[in-house]
Amino acid sequence: MKTVERVEALREAVAGLRADGRMAFVPTMGNLHAGHLTLVREARRHADSVVVSIFVNPLQFGPNEDLDKYPRTLEADRRALEAEGVDLLFAPPVEVMYPVSLEQQTRVEVPEISALHCGASRPGHFAGVATVVCKLFNMVQPDLAVFGKKDYQQLLVIRRMVRDLAMPVEILGVDTVRESDGLAMSSRNQYLDAAERRIAPRLYATLCAAADRVAGGGRDWDRLADWIRGELDSAGFRTDYAVVVDAATLLPPTDRSDRLVILVAAWLGKARLIDNLEMEIK
Ligand code: PAF
C-alpha cells in the first residue's frame, strides 16, 4: 500500500488506479476500528481499487470540542489498511488540506438539513464536513464513496451535497457495526471509563425498545422521543437530543412518511455518543 501526503503525488497515484477500473474511496479521521474496516471491505466489493484518507478535519470541530485530544494512531491505522489490501492511503497534513487559513477557506453549506439535530448542537459542524468531503472528492475523484450509517445525518448531508452540486460520485451507506452488547463502534467510545462503558449499551437498547413501541402501534412521536430521553437520563446519560423523524428529510413524520429514523445524541461522562435506528411504518 502506497501512502501519500501531497495532492500532486495523490493525483499521480489515482491516475494509475483509475486506469485499472472503478475506484472506491473511504474518507476517515483515522483511529480505525472494525467499523471503518467494514467500510473498506464494502468499498472493495464494489470497486477494483480502494483509496482511504486519514485526516482529522479541524473545520468540523467547534471551539470547545475535542480536536486536540482526538486520537491519532497513524502507524497502527496504516498496518490495518495494508492488511485489508487497500491500494492507496492519503494522509495529508493540515497545511495541504488548508493552505489558506480556516477563516479564508471557501466553504460548502448544505442548507436546512445541516441546521437540524446534530447541526443545532454543533453549529458549523456539517459545513466543515461538507467542505472537507467536497475537497477530498475533488482531490481523489472516486467513482464511489463509502460512509457509515452511524453518522446518519452526515450521510444525508453528503448525499444532498452530491445531488445539488452534480458531483459525479456514487454514495454508499453501510450499516453500523456494533460491539457484541450493541454499542455502536466509535473512536469516542475510548473516552468512556469502565462504569460508563457498562451503561453505554443502554443507548442502542433504548432505541430498540422504542422501535418495539412503534411496532406495537405507538404513533405519538413527541411522546416517544420524551420517553427515550427519560430512559436515557435515568440510566445516567445526559441526553442532547432524541427525535423520531422521517428518514429521508429528518423532519417530523407526515402522513406520507413510510420510513422513519430515531436519532439520538447523549453525553456519558466526557463522551458524546450518537446512534440511530431506521424503521419502516405501514
Ligand atoms: O465521518 C468521519 O469520520 C468524518 O466526518 C469524515 C467524513 C471523514 C469527514 O472528515
Side-chain angles (χ1 to χ4, degrees), residues 158-245:
I158 289 164
R159 283 194 197 283
R160 280 209 191 168
M161 171 184 77
V162 165
R163 180 198 69 185
D164 294 351
L165 300 180
M167 293 177 165
V169 51
E170 186 188 324
I171 303 297
L172 181 70
V174 173
D175 286 342
T176 304
V177 179
R178 299 183 180 281
E179 304 286 356
S180 55
D181 58 12
L183 177 63
M185 289 199 183
S186 164
S187 302
R188 292 193 164 104
N189 293 350
Q190 59 199 277
Y191 301 154
L192 300 171
D193 67 23
E196 290 158 356
R197 178 62 189 80
R198 282 193 292 276
I199 297 172
R202 298 282 290 274
L203 192 59
Y204 184 57
T206 304
L207 289 177
C208 294
D212 286 346
R213 291 182 163 224
V214 176
R219 292 292 183 270
D220 185 336
W221 311 125
D222 288 342
R223 203 159 150 218
L224 187 59
D226 286 346
W227 178 80
I228 295 169
R229 178 182 283 274
E231 289 293 297
L232 293 177
D233 289 348
S234 51
F237 293 86
R238 274 179 299 122
T239 306
D240 178 356
Y241 66 82
V243 288
V244 185
V245 288

Coordinates of all heavy atoms in Angstrom, one line a residue, residues 158-245:
I158 N -24.2 14.6 3.0 CA -23.3 14.4 1.8 C -24.1 14.0 0.6 O -23.8 14.4 -0.5 CB -22.3 13.3 2.2 CG1 -21.3 13.9 3.2 CG2 -21.5 12.8 1.0 CD1 -20.5 12.9 4.0
R159 N -25.1 13.2 0.8 CA -26.0 12.8 -0.4 C -26.6 14.1 -1.0 O -26.6 14.2 -2.2 CB -27.1 11.9 0.0 CG -26.7 10.4 0.2 CD -28.0 9.6 0.3 NE -27.7 8.3 0.9 CZ -27.2 7.2 0.2 NH1 -26.7 7.4 -1.0 NH2 -27.0 6.1 0.8
R160 N -27.0 15.0 -0.2 CA -27.6 16.2 -0.7 C -26.6 17.1 -1.4 O -26.8 17.7 -2.5 CB -28.2 17.1 0.4 CG -29.6 16.5 0.7 CD -30.5 17.6 1.2 NE -31.7 16.8 1.7 CZ -32.6 17.3 2.4 NH1 -32.6 18.6 2.7 NH2 -33.6 16.6 2.8
M161 N -25.4 17.2 -0.9 CA -24.3 18.0 -1.5 C -24.0 17.4 -2.9 O -23.9 18.2 -3.8 CB -23.1 17.9 -0.6 CG -21.8 18.5 -1.3 SD -20.3 18.4 -0.3 CE -19.9 16.6 -0.5
V162 N -23.9 16.1 -3.0 CA -23.6 15.4 -4.2 C -24.7 15.7 -5.2 O -24.4 16.0 -6.4 CB -23.3 13.9 -3.9 CG1 -23.4 13.1 -5.2 CG2 -22.0 13.7 -3.2
R163 N -25.9 15.6 -4.8 CA -27.1 15.8 -5.7 C -27.1 17.3 -6.1 O -27.1 17.6 -7.3 CB -28.4 15.5 -4.9 CG -29.6 15.7 -5.7 CD -30.9 15.8 -4.9 NE -30.9 17.0 -4.1 CZ -31.8 17.3 -3.2 NH1 -32.7 16.4 -2.9 NH2 -31.7 18.4 -2.5
D164 N -27.0 18.2 -5.2 CA -27.2 19.6 -5.5 C -26.0 20.2 -6.4 O -26.2 21.1 -7.2 CB -27.3 20.5 -4.2 CG -28.5 20.1 -3.4 OD1 -29.4 19.4 -4.0 OD2 -28.7 20.6 -2.3
L165 N -24.8 19.6 -6.2 CA -23.7 20.1 -6.9 C -23.3 19.2 -8.1 O -22.2 19.4 -8.7 CB -22.5 20.3 -6.0 CG -22.7 21.3 -4.8 CD1 -21.4 21.5 -4.0 CD2 -23.1 22.7 -5.4
A166 N -24.2 18.2 -8.4 CA -24.0 17.3 -9.5 C -22.6 16.7 -9.5 O -21.9 16.7 -10.5 CB -24.2 18.1 -10.8
M167 N -22.2 16.3 -8.3 CA -20.8 15.6 -8.2 C -20.9 14.2 -8.8 O -21.8 13.5 -8.5 CB -20.4 15.6 -6.8 CG -20.2 16.9 -6.2 SD -19.7 16.7 -4.4 CE -19.1 18.3 -4.1
P168 N -20.0 13.8 -9.7 CA -20.0 12.5 -10.3 C -19.5 11.4 -9.4 O -18.5 10.7 -9.8 CB -19.1 12.7 -11.6 CG -18.1 13.7 -11.1 CD -18.8 14.6 -10.1
V169 N -20.1 11.2 -8.3 CA -19.7 10.2 -7.4 C -20.9 9.5 -6.7 O -21.9 10.2 -6.4 CB -18.7 10.7 -6.3 CG1 -19.2 11.9 -5.6 CG2 -18.3 9.7 -5.3
E170 N -20.9 8.2 -6.7 CA -22.0 7.4 -6.1 C -21.7 7.3 -4.6 O -20.6 7.1 -4.2 CB -22.0 6.1 -6.8 CG -23.1 5.1 -6.4 CD -22.9 3.7 -6.9 OE1 -22.3 3.6 -8.1 OE2 -23.2 2.8 -6.2
I171 N -22.8 7.5 -3.8 CA -22.6 7.4 -2.3 C -23.2 6.1 -1.8 O -24.4 5.8 -2.1 CB -23.2 8.6 -1.6 CG1 -22.7 9.9 -2.2 CG2 -23.1 8.5 -0.1 CD1 -21.2 10.1 -1.9
L172 N -22.4 5.3 -1.1 CA -22.9 4.1 -0.5 C -22.9 4.2 1.0 O -21.9 4.6 1.6 CB -22.0 3.0 -0.9 CG -22.3 1.6 -0.4 CD1 -23.6 1.1 -1.2 CD2 -21.2 0.6 -0.7
G173 N -24.1 4.0 1.7 CA -24.2 4.0 3.1 C -24.1 2.6 3.7 O -24.8 1.7 3.1
V174 N -23.4 2.3 4.7 CA -23.1 1.0 5.2 C -23.6 0.9 6.7 O -23.4 1.8 7.5 CB -21.6 0.6 5.2 CG1 -21.4 -0.7 5.8 CG2 -21.2 0.6 3.7
D175 N -24.3 -0.2 7.0 CA -24.9 -0.4 8.3 C -23.9 -0.2 9.4 O -22.7 -0.6 9.3 CB -25.6 -1.7 8.4 CG -26.9 -1.8 7.7 OD1 -27.4 -0.7 7.3 OD2 -27.3 -2.9 7.3
T176 N -24.3 0.3 10.6 CA -23.5 0.5 11.7 C -22.9 -0.9 12.2 O -23.7 -1.9 12.4 CB -24.3 1.1 12.9 OG1 -24.9 2.3 12.3 CG2 -23.5 1.4 14.1
V177 N -21.7 -0.9 12.6 CA -21.1 -2.1 13.2 C -21.1 -1.9 14.7 O -20.8 -0.8 15.2 CB -19.6 -2.3 12.7 CG1 -19.0 -3.5 13.3 CG2 -19.6 -2.4 11.2
R178 N -21.5 -3.0 15.4 CA -21.7 -2.9 16.8 C -20.9 -3.8 17.6 O -20.5 -4.9 17.1 CB -23.2 -3.1 17.2 CG -24.1 -2.2 16.5 CD -25.6 -2.3 16.9 NE -26.4 -1.3 16.1 CZ -26.4 0.0 16.5 NH1 -25.9 0.4 17.7 NH2 -27.1 0.9 15.8
E179 N -20.5 -3.5 18.8 CA -19.9 -4.4 19.8 C -21.0 -5.5 20.1 O -22.1 -5.3 19.8 CB -19.5 -3.7 21.1 CG -18.6 -2.5 20.9 CD -17.2 -2.9 20.6 OE1 -16.8 -4.1 20.5 OE2 -16.4 -1.9 20.3
S180 N -20.5 -6.6 20.7 CA -21.4 -7.7 21.0 C -22.6 -7.3 21.9 O -23.7 -7.8 21.8 CB -20.7 -8.9 21.6 OG -20.0 -8.5 22.7
D181 N -22.4 -6.2 22.7 CA -23.5 -5.8 23.6 C -24.4 -4.7 22.9 O -25.2 -4.1 23.6 CB -23.0 -5.3 24.9 CG -21.9 -4.2 24.8 OD1 -21.8 -3.6 23.7 OD2 -21.3 -3.8 25.8
G182 N -24.1 -4.4 21.6 CA -25.0 -3.5 20.9 C -24.4 -2.0 20.8 O -24.9 -1.3 19.9
L183 N -23.4 -1.7 21.5 CA -22.8 -0.4 21.4 C -22.2 -0.1 20.0 O -21.4 -0.9 19.6 CB -21.7 -0.2 22.5 CG -21.0 1.2 22.5 CD1 -22.0 2.4 22.8 CD2 -19.8 1.2 23.4
A184 N -22.6 1.0 19.4 CA -22.1 1.3 18.1 C -20.6 1.6 18.2 O -20.2 2.3 19.1 CB -22.8 2.5 17.5
M185 N -19.8 1.0 17.3 CA -18.4 1.3 17.3 C -18.1 2.7 17.0 O -18.7 3.3 16.1 CB -17.7 0.4 16.3 CG -17.7 -1.0 16.8 SD -16.4 -2.0 16.0 CE -16.8 -3.6 16.8
S186 N -17.2 3.3 17.8 CA -16.9 4.7 17.6 C -15.5 5.0 18.2 O -15.2 4.4 19.3 CB -17.9 5.6 18.2 OG -17.5 6.9 18.4
S187 N -14.8 5.9 17.6 CA -13.5 6.3 18.2 C -13.7 6.9 19.6 O -12.9 6.9 20.5 CB -12.8 7.3 17.3 OG -12.5 6.7 16.1
R188 N -14.9 7.5 19.8 CA -15.2 8.2 21.0 C -15.5 7.3 22.2 O -15.5 7.7 23.3 CB -16.3 9.3 20.8 CG -15.8 10.4 19.9 CD -16.7 11.6 19.9 NE -16.0 12.7 19.3 CZ -16.2 13.2 18.1 NH1 -17.0 12.7 17.3 NH2 -15.5 14.3 17.7
N189 N -15.7 6.0 21.9 CA -16.0 5.0 23.0 C -14.8 4.9 23.9 O -15.0 4.6 25.1 CB -16.3 3.6 22.4 CG -17.6 3.6 21.7 OD1 -18.4 4.6 21.7 ND2 -17.9 2.5 21.0
Q190 N -13.6 5.2 23.5 CA -12.5 5.1 24.3 C -12.4 6.2 25.4 O -11.6 6.1 26.3 CB -11.2 5.0 23.6 CG -10.9 6.2 22.7 CD -9.9 5.9 21.6 OE1 -8.7 5.9 21.8 NE2 -10.3 5.5 20.4
Y191 N -13.3 7.2 25.3 CA -13.3 8.2 26.4 C -14.2 7.7 27.6 O -14.2 8.4 28.6 CB -14.0 9.5 25.8 CG -13.3 10.2 24.7 CD1 -14.1 11.0 23.8 CD2 -12.0 10.1 24.4 CE1 -13.5 11.7 22.7 CE2 -11.4 10.7 23.4 CZ -12.1 11.5 22.5 OH -11.5 12.2 21.5
L192 N -14.8 6.6 27.4 CA -15.7 6.0 28.5 C -14.8 5.3 29.5 O -14.0 4.5 29.2 CB -16.7 5.0 27.9 CG -17.6 5.5 26.8 CD1 -18.4 4.4 26.2 CD2 -18.6 6.6 27.4
D193 N -15.1 5.6 30.8 CA -14.4 4.8 31.9 C -15.2 3.5 32.0 O -16.3 3.3 31.4 CB -14.3 5.6 33.2 CG -15.6 5.9 33.9 OD1 -16.6 5.2 33.6 OD2 -15.6 6.8 34.7
A194 N -14.7 2.6 32.9 CA -15.3 1.2 33.0 C -16.8 1.3 33.3 O -17.6 0.6 32.8 CB -14.5 0.4 34.0
A195 N -17.2 2.2 34.3 CA -18.6 2.2 34.7 C -19.4 2.8 33.6 O -20.5 2.3 33.3 CB -18.7 3.1 36.0
E196 N -18.9 3.8 32.9 CA -19.7 4.4 31.7 C -19.9 3.3 30.6 O -20.9 3.3 30.0 CB -19.0 5.6 31.2 CG -19.1 6.8 32.2 CD -18.0 7.8 32.0 OE1 -17.1 7.7 31.1 OE2 -18.0 8.8 32.7
R197 N -18.8 2.6 30.4 CA -18.8 1.6 29.3 C -19.9 0.5 29.6 O -20.5 0.0 28.6 CB -17.4 0.9 29.2 CG -17.4 -0.2 28.1 CD -17.6 0.3 26.7 NE -17.7 -0.7 25.7 CZ -18.8 -1.5 25.5 NH1 -19.9 -1.2 26.3 NH2 -18.8 -2.4 24.6
R198 N -20.2 0.3 30.9 CA -21.3 -0.7 31.2 C -22.6 -0.1 30.9 O -23.6 -0.8 30.6 CB -21.2 -1.1 32.7 CG -20.1 -2.2 32.9 CD -20.2 -2.8 34.3 NE -19.9 -1.9 35.4 CZ -18.7 -1.6 35.8 NH1 -17.6 -2.2 35.3 NH2 -18.5 -0.7 36.8
I199 N -22.7 1.2 31.1 CA -24.0 1.9 30.8 C -24.3 2.1 29.3 O -25.4 2.1 28.8 CB -24.1 3.3 31.5 CG1 -23.9 3.1 33.0 CG2 -25.3 4.1 31.2 CD1 -23.8 4.4 33.8
A200 N -23.2 2.3 28.6 CA -23.3 2.7 27.2 C -24.2 1.9 26.3 O -24.9 2.5 25.4 CB -21.9 2.8 26.5
P201 N -24.3 0.5 26.4 CA -25.2 -0.2 25.5 C -26.6 0.1 25.7 O -27.5 -0.2 24.8 CB -24.9 -1.7 25.9 CG -23.6 -1.7 26.7 CD -23.5 -0.3 27.3
R202 N -27.0 0.8 26.8 CA -28.4 1.2 27.0 C -28.9 2.1 25.9 O -30.1 2.3 25.7 CB -28.6 1.9 28.4 CG -28.2 1.0 29.5 CD -29.3 0.0 29.8 NE -30.5 0.6 30.4 CZ -30.7 0.9 31.7 NH1 -29.8 0.5 32.6 NH2 -31.8 1.4 32.1
L203 N -27.9 2.8 25.2 CA -28.3 3.7 24.2 C -29.0 3.0 23.1 O -30.2 3.3 22.7 CB -27.1 4.4 23.6 CG -27.2 5.6 22.7 CD1 -28.0 6.7 23.4 CD2 -25.9 6.2 22.3
Y204 N -28.4 1.9 22.6 CA -29.0 1.1 21.5 C -30.2 0.3 22.0 O -31.2 0.2 21.3 CB -27.9 0.2 20.9 CG -28.5 -0.6 19.7 CD1 -29.0 0.1 18.6 CD2 -28.4 -2.0 19.6 CE1 -29.5 -0.6 17.5 CE2 -28.9 -2.7 18.5 CZ -29.4 -2.0 17.5 OH -29.9 -2.7 16.4
A205 N -30.1 -0.2 23.2 CA -31.2 -1.0 23.8 C -32.4 -0.1 23.9 O -33.6 -0.6 23.6 CB -30.8 -1.5 25.2
T206 N -32.3 1.2 24.2 CA -33.4 2.1 24.3 C -34.0 2.4 22.9 O -35.2 2.4 22.7 CB -33.0 3.4 25.0 OG1 -32.4 3.1 26.3 CG2 -34.2 4.4 25.2
L207 N -33.1 2.5 21.9 CA -33.6 2.7 20.5 C -34.5 1.4 20.1 O -35.5 1.6 19.5 CB -32.5 2.8 19.5 CG -31.7 4.1 19.6 CD1 -30.5 4.1 18.6 CD2 -32.6 5.3 19.3
C208 N -34.0 0.2 20.4 CA -34.7 -1.0 20.1 C -36.0 -1.0 20.8 O -37.0 -1.4 20.2 CB -33.9 -2.2 20.4 SG -32.4 -2.3 19.4
A209 N -36.0 -0.7 22.1 CA -37.3 -0.7 22.8 C -38.3 0.3 22.3 O -39.5 0.1 22.2 CB -37.0 -0.4 24.3
A210 N -37.8 1.5 21.8 CA -38.6 2.5 21.2 C -39.2 1.9 19.9 O -40.4 2.1 19.6 CB -37.9 3.8 20.9
A211 N -38.4 1.2 19.1 CA -38.9 0.7 17.8 C -40.0 -0.4 18.1 O -40.9 -0.5 17.3 CB -37.7 0.0 17.0
D212 N -39.8 -1.1 19.2 CA -40.9 -2.1 19.6 C -42.2 -1.4 19.9 O -43.2 -1.9 19.5 CB -40.4 -2.9 20.8 CG -39.4 -3.9 20.5 OD1 -39.1 -4.2 19.3 OD2 -38.7 -4.4 21.5
R213 N -42.1 -0.2 20.5 CA -43.3 0.5 20.8 C -44.0 1.0 19.5 O -45.2 1.0 19.4 CB -43.0 1.8 21.6 CG -42.6 1.4 23.0 CD -42.3 2.6 23.9 NE -42.3 2.0 25.2 CZ -42.9 2.6 26.3 NH1 -43.5 3.8 26.2 NH2 -42.9 2.0 27.5
V214 N -43.2 1.3 18.5 CA -43.8 1.7 17.2 C -44.4 0.5 16.5 O -45.5 0.5 16.0 CB -42.7 2.3 16.3 CG1 -43.3 2.6 14.9 CG2 -42.1 3.6 16.9
A215 N -43.7 -0.6 16.6 CA -44.2 -1.9 16.0 C -45.5 -2.3 16.7 O -46.4 -2.8 16.1 CB -43.2 -3.0 16.2
G216 N -45.6 -1.9 18.0 CA -46.9 -2.2 18.8 C -48.0 -1.2 18.5 O -49.0 -1.2 19.2
G217 N -47.7 -0.2 17.6 CA -48.8 0.7 17.2 C -48.6 2.2 17.7 O -49.4 3.0 17.4
G218 N -47.5 2.4 18.5 CA -47.3 3.8 19.0 C -47.1 4.8 17.9 O -46.2 4.5 17.0
R219 N -47.8 5.9 17.9 CA -47.6 6.8 16.8 C -47.5 8.3 17.3 O -47.5 9.2 16.5 CB -48.8 6.8 15.8 CG -48.9 5.5 15.0 CD -47.8 5.4 14.0 NE -47.8 4.2 13.2 CZ -47.3 3.0 13.5 NH1 -46.6 2.8 14.6 NH2 -47.4 2.0 12.7
D220 N -47.4 8.4 18.6 CA -47.2 9.8 19.2 C -45.7 10.0 19.3 O -45.0 9.7 20.2 CB -47.9 9.9 20.5 CG -47.8 11.3 21.1 OD1 -46.9 12.1 20.7 OD2 -48.7 11.7 21.9
W221 N -45.1 10.7 18.2 CA -43.7 10.7 18.0 C -43.0 11.6 19.1 O -41.9 11.3 19.6 CB -43.3 11.2 16.7 CG -44.0 10.5 15.5 CD1 -44.8 11.1 14.6 CD2 -44.0 9.1 15.3 NE1 -45.3 10.1 13.7 CE2 -44.8 8.9 14.2 CE3 -43.5 8.0 15.9 CZ2 -45.1 7.6 13.6 CZ3 -43.7 6.7 15.4 CH2 -44.5 6.6 14.3
D222 N -43.7 12.7 19.5 CA -43.1 13.5 20.6 C -43.1 12.8 21.9 O -42.1 12.9 22.6 CB -43.9 14.8 20.7 CG -43.7 15.8 19.5 OD1 -42.7 15.5 18.8 OD2 -44.6 16.6 19.3
R223 N -44.1 12.1 22.2 CA -44.2 11.3 23.4 C -43.1 10.2 23.4 O -42.4 10.0 24.4 CB -45.6 10.7 23.5 CG -45.9 10.4 24.9 CD -47.4 10.3 25.1 NE -47.6 9.3 26.2 CZ -48.5 8.4 26.3 NH1 -49.4 8.3 25.3 NH2 -48.6 7.6 27.3
L224 N -42.9 9.6 22.3 CA -41.9 8.6 22.2 C -40.5 9.2 22.4 O -39.7 8.6 23.1 CB -42.0 7.9 20.8 CG -41.1 6.7 20.6 CD1 -41.4 5.6 21.6 CD2 -41.3 6.1 19.2
A225 N -40.3 10.3 21.8 CA -39.0 11.0 22.0 C -38.8 11.3 23.4 O -37.7 11.2 24.0 CB -38.9 12.2 21.1
D226 N -39.8 11.8 24.1 CA -39.7 12.2 25.5 C -39.4 10.9 26.4 O -38.6 10.9 27.3 CB -41.0 12.8 26.1 CG -41.2 14.2 25.6 OD1 -40.2 14.8 25.0 OD2 -42.3 14.7 25.6
W227 N -40.0 9.8 26.0 CA -39.8 8.5 26.7 C -38.3 8.1 26.5 O -37.7 7.7 27.5 CB -40.7 7.5 26.1 CG -40.5 6.1 26.8 CD1 -41.0 5.7 28.0 CD2 -39.7 5.1 26.3 NE1 -40.6 4.5 28.3 CE2 -39.8 4.0 27.2 CE3 -39.0 4.9 25.1 CZ2 -39.1 2.8 27.1 CZ3 -38.3 3.7 24.9 CH2 -38.4 2.6 25.9
I228 N -37.8 8.2 25.3 CA -36.4 7.9 25.1 C -35.5 8.7 26.0 O -34.6 8.2 26.7 CB -36.0 8.0 23.6 CG1 -36.8 7.1 22.7 CG2 -34.5 7.9 23.4 CD1 -36.7 7.3 21.2
R229 N -35.7 10.0 25.9 CA -34.9 11.0 26.8 C -35.0 10.6 28.2 O -34.0 10.5 28.9 CB -35.5 12.4 26.6 CG -34.8 13.4 27.4 CD -35.4 14.8 27.1 NE -35.0 15.4 25.8 CZ -33.9 16.1 25.7 NH1 -33.0 16.3 26.7 NH2 -33.6 16.6 24.5
G230 N -36.2 10.3 28.7 CA -36.4 9.9 30.1 C -35.6 8.6 30.5 O -34.9 8.5 31.5
E231 N -35.7 7.6 29.6 CA -35.0 6.3 29.8 C -33.5 6.6 29.9 O -32.8 6.1 30.7 CB -35.2 5.4 28.6 CG -36.6 4.8 28.6 CD -36.9 3.9 29.8 OE1 -36.2 2.8 29.9 OE2 -37.8 4.2 30.6
L232 N -33.0 7.4 28.9 CA -31.5 7.6 28.9 C -31.0 8.4 30.1 O -30.0 8.1 30.7 CB -31.1 8.3 27.6 CG -31.3 7.5 26.3 CD1 -31.0 8.3 25.0 CD2 -30.5 6.2 26.3
D233 N -31.8 9.5 30.4 CA -31.3 10.3 31.5 C -31.4 9.5 32.8 O -30.5 9.6 33.7 CB -32.2 11.6 31.6 CG -31.9 12.5 30.5 OD1 -30.9 12.4 29.8 OD2 -32.7 13.5 30.3
S234 N -32.4 8.6 33.0 CA -32.4 7.8 34.2 C -31.3 6.7 34.2 O -30.9 6.3 35.3 CB -33.8 7.3 34.6 OG -34.3 6.7 33.5
A235 N -30.8 6.4 33.0 CA -29.7 5.4 33.0 C -28.4 6.0 33.3 O -27.4 5.3 33.4 CB -29.7 4.7 31.6
G236 N -28.3 7.4 33.3 CA -27.0 8.0 33.6 C -26.5 8.9 32.5 O -25.4 9.5 32.6
F237 N -27.2 8.9 31.3 CA -26.8 9.8 30.2 C -27.3 11.2 30.5 O -28.2 11.4 31.3 CB -27.4 9.3 28.9 CG -27.0 8.0 28.4 CD1 -27.6 6.8 28.8 CD2 -25.9 7.9 27.4 CE1 -27.2 5.6 28.3 CE2 -25.5 6.7 26.9 CZ -26.1 5.5 27.4
R238 N -26.7 12.2 29.7 CA -27.3 13.5 29.6 C -27.7 13.6 28.2 O -26.8 13.8 27.3 CB -26.2 14.6 30.0 CG -26.1 14.9 31.4 CD -25.1 16.0 31.7 NE -23.8 15.6 31.3 CZ -23.0 16.2 30.4 NH1 -23.4 17.3 29.8 NH2 -21.8 15.7 30.1
T239 N -29.0 13.5 27.9 CA -29.4 13.4 26.5 C -29.3 14.8 25.9 O -29.8 15.8 26.4 CB -30.9 12.9 26.5 OG1 -31.0 11.7 27.1 CG2 -31.4 12.8 25.0
D240 N -28.7 14.8 24.7 CA -28.6 16.1 24.0 C -29.8 16.3 23.2 O -30.6 17.2 23.3 CB -27.3 16.0 23.1 CG -27.1 17.3 22.2 OD1 -28.0 18.1 22.2 OD2 -26.1 17.4 21.5
Y241 N -30.2 15.3 22.3 CA -31.5 15.3 21.7 C -31.9 13.8 21.4 O -31.1 12.9 21.3 CB -31.5 16.1 20.4 CG -30.6 15.5 19.3 CD1 -31.1 14.5 18.5 CD2 -29.3 16.0 19.1 CE1 -30.3 13.9 17.5 CE2 -28.5 15.4 18.1 CZ -29.0 14.4 17.3 OH -28.2 13.8 16.3
A242 N -33.2 13.6 21.3 CA -33.8 12.4 20.9 C -35.0 12.8 20.0 O -35.8 13.5 20.5 CB -34.3 11.6 22.1
V243 N -35.0 12.3 18.8 CA -36.1 12.7 17.9 C -36.5 11.4 17.1 O -35.7 10.5 16.8 CB -35.7 13.8 16.9 CG1 -35.6 15.1 17.6 CG2 -34.4 13.5 16.1
V244 N -37.8 11.4 16.7 CA -38.3 10.4 15.7 C -38.7 11.2 14.5 O -39.6 12.1 14.6 CB -39.5 9.7 16.3 CG1 -40.0 8.6 15.4 CG2 -39.2 9.2 17.7
V245 N -38.0 11.0 13.4 CA -38.2 11.8 12.2 C -38.3 11.0 10.9 O -38.0 9.8 10.9 CB -37.1 12.9 12.1 CG1 -37.2 13.9 13.1 CG2 -35.7 12.2 12.1

